[in-house]
Amino acid sequence: MLAAGRGNVLVSRLIHRAHGEVGWFLYAPACALVEADRVRPGTAEHLAALPGVTILDLDLPAALAVAREETWAAAHTRYAARPTADRPEGAIVATTEPKRWDGEPVRVLDLGP
């Protein structure tokens, strides 16, 4: 999320594809959005305004998963990436810090340079 505000070309391409192509979705877990906005104020409002980005609410199952973790952003992201009926393989975590996800049960897309 922070990389979007820093002009990361790969993030811009993902946002563009999610806006313009059928079947492409970008999800922003609310807890991760809050933490990104704390680091870079205005990030949440900017991303929430983009038509290709879907904000994932902290519903009860997500809240229960997040409550057990130390960092809410990572926990909500991990929860959002889990397999569901709509996404049997789960979602992919797009990140500029792929090593942060080592050992986690998620697929990662490295957006680093």
Side-chain angles (χ1 to χ4, degrees):
M1 294 180 187
L2 293 172
R6 294 184 179 135
N8 183 300
V9 174
L10 295 175
V11 174
S12 295
R13 288 180 184 164
L14 282 176
I15 292 169
H16 178 74
R17 286 191 93 168
H19 176 65
E21 287 191 38
V22 175
W24 273 78
F25 304 97
L26 286 179
Y27 302 104
C31 292
L33 196 59
V34 167
E35 285 199 26
D37 200 73
R38 286 180 178 162
V39 172
R40 187 180 177 117
T43 299
E45 187 175 5
H46 174 72
L47 288 175
L50 295 173
V53 176
T54 301
I55 307 301
L56 298 178
D57 294 330
L58 188 62
D59 59 9
L60 180 58
L64 294 174
V66 166
R68 296 182 192 104
E69 302 290 331
E70 190 171 317
T71 64
W72 286 24
H76 198 189
T77 301
R78 185 181 323 101
Y79 176 81
R82 81 200 185 303
T84 65
D86 294 339
R87 295 182 311 273
E89 294 181 21
I92 298 170
V93 175
T95 181
T96 58
E97 299 177 7
K99 297 244 182 267
R100 186 266 168 259
W101 296 97
D102 283 353
E104 296 285 349
V106 299
R107 296 179 298 151
V108 173
L109 174 62
D110 184 354
L111 299 175

